[in-house]
Every structure is written in C-alpha cells, then in structure tokens.
Amino acid sequence: MKEKTIDYILRSTWQAVSRMYNEEASRFDGSMAIGFALLSIDKENGTPSTYISNRMGMEATSLTRTLKTLEEKGLIVRKKNPEDGRGVLIYLTQLGKEKRELSKETVLRFNDAVRKNLTEEKINHFMEVAETINELIIEKKIF
C-alpha cells in the first residue's frame, strides 16, 4: 500500500507485538494469551473468570480454552466463589505465580524499550489516539 491506512498500521503493529510476545513466551512453554491471562488474575485473592474475559477482551469460548490450558499446565485452580455459589474464582498455583512474574517482567521490558526510544510527548499522543479510536468504536461512531 502506498498510503497506509490507520487500520493497517494498527493491525500490522499488533501482529508484530503479538509475534514478539509469542516467541518470547514459547521459550517458557507459554503463549501471549497465557501470559496476559496470568496477569489478569489476582496473585492472592483469586479472580472471577468473567473479570478475566472482560479485562482481556476475549469471548467466553476463547477464555474457556485458555483457562483449560492454564489448568492443564498446573498454573491455575478453580474454586467455587464463597460469596456466589454459582460463580467460580480462578487462583494461581505456585507455578502460576512464577510464570505470572515472568510475564510481568516481559511486559515491563517491552514498555521500557519503547519508552527509551520515544519522547513522553509522543507516548502521550499515541495514548490519546488509541483512546479516541476506542471511544469511537465503543460509541459506535464509525459504523
């Protein structure tokens, strides 16, 4: 494309970020989805699965697969919510807590590298643009 569209730049950048995270996570028998799911779970108090899906922007079926994988890898356990018998809380196992720390370090390294190469002004502009795009989508002002 001679003139790249905003959507093209967003998509290609996110694909590059996703590929980078997946390559790094594969070194630890993980994936980007696993890492972000671990980061969405409270280290001590557990987290309702509905909160995880909302935070990650995932559909319920995708989250179900991710949680199943986390459980099979011994990273989480599911327990009934004592305040709501219908609900389930997701807790990190000791291994899950260790992998969560690796995920956190990876995300912070990415952020540090980007921040070292951009001015605060450029980062603020990027955040404003991303926020505006999200608001346009949420308020259904595009389609």
Side-chain angles (χ1 to χ4, degrees), residues 2 20 25 44 60 74 77 80 87 99 102 104-105 114 134 141:
K2 205 171 200 181
M20 174 199 67
E44 305 304 327
V77 292
K80 282 193 182 258
K99 296 287 187 176
L102 281 171
K104 182 178 173 183
E105 290 168 15
V114 171
N134 278 322
K141 291 185 175 179

Side-chain angles (χ1 to χ4, degrees), residues 1 4-14 133:
M1 277 179 119
K4 294 180 182 172
T5 62
I6 292 168
D7 130 282
Y8 174 86
I9 293 165
L10 286 171
R11 191 176 54 248
S12 64
T13 301
W14 178 247
I133 291 169

Side-chain angles (χ1 to χ4, degrees), residues 77-96:
V77 292
R78 301 177 204 222
K79 296 180 183 177
K80 282 193 182 258
N81 187 337
E83 296 174 16
D84 178 3
R86 298 169 296 163
V88 173
L89 293 175
I90 310 297
Y91 289 88
L92 295 170
T93 63
Q94 185 56 43
L95 179 61

Side-chain angles (χ1 to χ4, degrees), residues 64-79:
T64 300
R65 282 192 304 270
T66 301
L67 292 177
K68 185 175 187 226
T69 300
L70 292 171
E71 206 167 23
E72 289 169 353
K73 290 180 176 283
L75 302 172
I76 63 163
V77 292
R78 301 177 204 222
K79 296 180 183 177

Side-chain angles (χ1 to χ4, degrees), residues 13-42:
T13 301
W14 178 247
Q15 286 173 346
V17 169
S18 177
R19 197 170 35 254
M20 174 199 67
Y21 275 137
N22 277 317
E23 285 173 12
E24 183 66 15
S26 71
R27 295 178 44 224
F28 303 98
D29 190 34
S31 69
M32 183 182 73
I34 288 172
F36 282 137
L38 292 173
L39 290 169
S40 299
I41 300 170
D42 185 283

